[in-house]
Amino acid sequence: MASENIIEEKKQGQALITEQKGSNSKLLYIESFGCQMNLNDSEIVASILAEEGFNTTPHLEDADLVLVNTCSIREKAEQTIRKRLQKYNRVKRINPNMKIGVLGCMAERLKTKFLEEEKMIDLVVGPDAYRDLPNLVKEVENGKDAINVILSKEETYGDVSPVRLNSNGVSAFVSITRGCDNMCTFCVVPFTRGRERSRDPQSIIKEAQDLWDKGYKEITLLGQNVDSYLWYGGGLKKDLKNASEIAQTTAIDFANLLEMTATILPKMRIRFATSNPQDMSVDVLYSMARYDNICKYIHLPVQTGSTRMLGRMNRQHTREEYIELIDKIHEILPDCAISQDMIVGFCGETEDDHKDTLSLMEYVKYDFGFMFAYSERPGTPAAKRMEDDVPLEIKKRRLSEIINLQQKHGLYRMQKFVGKTVEILIEGNSKKSDAQWMGRNSQNAVAVFPKGNEKIGDLVMVKIEDCTSATLIGTRV
Ligand code: SAH
Ligand code: F3S
């Protein structure tokens, strides 16, 4: 059985709700699939539509407008969403006034094809076009289909204050960049989310401050590649002609942004995701070391342990450079947890390449991991130029090998906390028992412990007495 820290693709979408308001408003049912960025985007969409009088509802059957924020990262994700659309369709047959819209990456990838293929869909909106939703929804209400999938070089929704959906009131996402310029050959994201843009740091700090004022205790700064964050006044940084031009401006990079946030909100726990090995700088590691409130956890996807495959994937570093970075992290941040994303069975992957992945995992002994079998995505450089030639059976076997190894390493890392006292931010009840709290330590390990007189959002010291590969088990000290 896969441990909890291993994402499996069967994970369902999340229906997102917030507090109910007046009864004469229109009702929005919004569901989100895929990454944290999508969840945050759904919060932006809910905020934009709240201005138009939409309140969210947890009941699909009651909705005037149903929106699904979609994911294209693997074929299976798209299939799950297609099935979900069938469910909406059945409800729409009973309630023909209900309108259905698709948002996010599938909307961007399929564009008008979506309207042709799925007749129940009224609305198709790409990730950079959510500001147009009020107009598009009006068109739909007038009985027309509506679509906007224009990608932007500027849009960051910096001034939109997200409506927090399904929130535990403790942790929230704050997006700092949108899009991705990296062009990993397997990845659809650069096509569905467009060019990379950084958000104005002032608006990031304002949002973080606002969250603190509302009682939130932890934020996660989000981007496809946070280390590439660079603010010098807006637009695409790659439009600047050269590095010296950037240096002449009062640019703010990710290390600066982290320090600003950590200084202005000294009690807020700060996390970030995702780091890309090619862009992660030593400065970021030193910033993490300087501030206790920056959590000691780095999600550092590598995808494969084979330099040859890294090249085919167009990742901009070798195995050796990645190992150097891992060594630096251990040197500067000895107690830092590290996690990976891995893809098995990418085009041309041999048994030797796979062994390189296993041996890299043995070297790093990741705390957590998110592992996938390669899924060809139409339009990507790999789909155009390479053959998806590793048979499914082999992909599956390699995947289970790395999942098993990750589980062993997860347990090894968790065991290191046994006997230690760690600081836990309480997020809510434990899944298994209401008599226990669940929270996380700085390294993002989940801990459970018996309830005393603490409350959600408290930071407490917990002595760890036992663990599984996914959970620390302790008591309050
Ligand atoms: N930089 C991004 C990566 C987004 S995709 C981030 O913020 O996490 C998340 C992970 O999905 C990737 O790291 C990769 O491991 C996996 N992935 C992407 N495209 C894939 C594909 N075509 N097949 C299988 N896995 C894929
Ligand atoms: Fe995808 Fe590579 Fe960007 S995995 S999101 S193209 S860093």
Side-chain angles (χ1 to χ4, degrees):
M1 200 190 80
S3 66
E4 279 174 44
N5 60 20
I6 293 165
I7 282 195
E8 288 181 284
E9 299 200 39
K10 57 180 180 274
K11 199 168 166 231
Q12 292 295 305
Q14 250 179 300
L16 303 167
I17 50 164
T18 179
E19 304 266 295
Q20 296 301 302
K21 284 196 283 192
S23 57
N24 57 356
S25 65
K26 293 177 277 187
L27 290 177
L28 165 68
Y29 178 90
I30 182 162
E31 193 169 18
S32 215
F33 289 80
C35 61
Q36 297 169 332
M37 189 68 94
N38 255 11
L39 268 176
N40 191 234
D41 278 2
S42 294
E43 296 181 329
I44 287 167
V45 166
S47 170
I48 290 170
L49 287 176
E51 300 288 310
E52 303 299 304
F54 279 96
N55 279 322
T56 50
T57 170
H59 306 295
L60 175 60
E61 291 75 11
D62 297 345
D64 301 292
L65 177 63
V66 174
L67 294 178
V68 56
N69 201 347
T70 59
C71 173
S72 286
I73 201 81
R74 285 167 289 275
E75 194 183 353
K76 222 165 164 187
E78 291 202 353
Q79 285 165 353
T80 308
I81 291 156
R82 296 266 187 183
K83 274 199 209 118
R84 200 65 194 136
L85 287 171
Q86 295 313 316
K87 162 86 181 162
Y88 299 164
N89 203 18
R90 286 195 289 278
V91 177
K92 190 169 175 159
R93 276 197 217 116
I94 302 163
N95 173 11
N97 291 329
M98 185 177 106
K99 304 295 180 194
I100 300 177
V102 276
L103 314 175
C105 290
M106 268 177 98
E108 193 62 50
R109 195 177 84 69
L110 293 164
K111 303 186 171 62
T112 50
K113 248 208 231 160
F114 229 150
L115 292 170
E116 291 153 22
E117 286 171 10
E118 306 276 1
K119 297 290 176 221
M120 81 297 256
I121 293 178
D122 305 289
L123 179 67
V124 175
V125 191
D128 286 345
Y130 299 144
R131 276 184 210 274
D132 197 22
L133 268 165
N135 300 323
L136 297 166
V137 167
K138 277 191 194 98
E139 276 184 44
V140 164
E141 284 170 347
N142 290 331
K144 295 186 206 137
D145 285 347
I147 179 164
N148 187 342
V149 288
I150 295 170
L151 286 172
S152 158
K153 290 182 178 180
E154 303 285 341
E155 183 61 90
T156 60
Y157 302 107
D159 57 323
V160 178
S161 170
V163 170
R164 302 294 162 184
L165 300 165
N166 276 24
S167 166
N168 60 8
V170 177
S171 23
F173 299 123
V174 175
S175 65
I176 64 163
T177 68
R178 293 184 74 82
C180 185
D181 282 349
N182 278 334
M183 282 291 173
C184 302
T185 50
F186 54 81
C187 187
V188 77
V189 171
F191 302 92
T192 59
R193 287 191 162 271
R195 299 293 302 274
E196 183 188 284
R197 298 132 265 174
S198 296
R199 176 177 171 191
D200 178 354
Q202 292 312 325
S203 78
I204 295 170
I205 300 288
K206 186 167 167 282
E207 187 175 330
Q209 177 75 58
D210 186 48
L211 285 163
W212 178 258
D213 295 344
K214 288 185 174 135
Y216 285 81
K217 298 290 160 55
E218 179 179 272
I219 53 170
T220 303
L221 304 177
L222 279 187
Q224 302 299 339
N225 177 3
V226 285
D227 302 283
S228 151
Y229 177 89
L230 188 70
W231 175 261
Y232 56 88
L236 294 176
K237 76 167 171 242
K238 279 157 194 153
D239 286 350
L240 282 184
K241 284 175 204 68
N242 53 52
S244 64
E245 204 175 329
I246 294 178
Q248 280 162 20
T249 65
T250 47
I252 290 173
D253 66 11
F254 184 56
N256 303 141
L257 179 72
L258 265 183
E259 296 217 7
M260 275 167 71
T261 318
T263 314
I264 294 169
L265 298 166
K267 293 260 162 64
M268 181 77 105
R269 259 194 183 183
I270 298 160
R271 299 187 182 278
F272 53 87
T274 295
S275 297
N276 191 311
Q278 78 186 51
D279 291 310
M280 177 144 224
S281 69
V282 190
D283 288 351
V284 169
L285 302 179
Y286 285 122
S287 299
M288 290 175 75
R290 262 196 293 277
Y291 293 87
D292 281 345
N293 60 326
I294 304 180
C295 289
K296 304 299 178 274
Y297 169 51
I298 302 173
H299 181 49
L300 197 65
V302 65
Q303 318 298 354
T304 167
S306 148
T307 294
R308 194 180 75 89
M309 294 311 285
L310 285 166
R312 284 175 73 81
M313 290 176 167
N314 194 31
R315 305 283 293 187
Q316 302 295 316
H317 60 84
T318 61
R319 172 193 174 95
E320 288 68 31
E321 285 162 342
Y322 184 79
I323 287 177
E324 251 174 60
L325 178 59
I326 295 284
D327 291 346
K328 264 199 204 116
I329 295 171
H330 286 148
E331 184 192 310
I332 299 169
L333 302 161
D335 61 348
C336 189
I338 304 173
S339 62
Q340 42 88 345
D341 288 349
M342 292 285 185
I343 297 177
V344 295
F346 184 60
C347 311
E349 188 189 64
T350 63
E351 216 47 42
D352 278 349
D353 295 317
H354 176 58
K355 285 200 182 109
D356 284 348
T357 297
L358 293 168
S359 74
L360 181 67
M361 288 175 71
E362 282 291 5
Y363 183 83
V364 182
K365 294 195 174 53
Y366 293 98
D367 294 69
F368 318 99
F370 306 90
M371 289 151 283
F372 315 99
Y374 172 58
S375 162
E376 186 176 89
R377 308 311 296 131
T380 56
K384 284 189 194 149
R385 299 199 310 264
M386 297 178 204
E387 196 188 338
D388 181 10
D389 56 358
V390 178
L392 186 60
E393 282 314 306
I394 293 182
K395 283 183 183 168
K396 280 188 183 159
R397 195 249 305 149
R398 289 179 187 167
L399 183 60
S400 74
E401 281 175 15
I402 65 168
I403 288 176
N404 289 340
L405 188 59
Q406 180 52 48
Q407 215 172 348
K408 193 176 107 191
H409 293 155
L411 182 61
Y412 166 81
R413 290 291 176 197
M414 293 299 249
Q415 280 166 344
K416 296 220 155 194
F417 290 113
V418 175
K420 293 199 175 132
T421 298
V422 297
E423 191 179 53
I424 301 290
L425 174 61
I426 301 176
E427 291 179 23
N429 289 342
S430 132
K431 265 190 240 155
K432 291 207 177 115
S433 159
D434 286 356
Q436 303 245 331
W437 289 122
M438 184 284 278
R440 279 164 218 270
N441 66 5
S442 172
Q443 289 77 7
N444 210 34
V446 169
V448 296
F449 58 96
K451 283 185 181 174
N453 55 4
E454 317 79 6
K455 56 185 187 317
I456 292 176
D458 282 353
L459 270 174
V460 293
M461 299 310 288
V462 174
K463 169 114 195 262
I464 303 304
E465 283 149 354
D466 199 359
C467 71
T468 67
S469 65
T471 312
L472 301 173
I473 299 156
T475 49
R476 258 312 285 276
V477 290

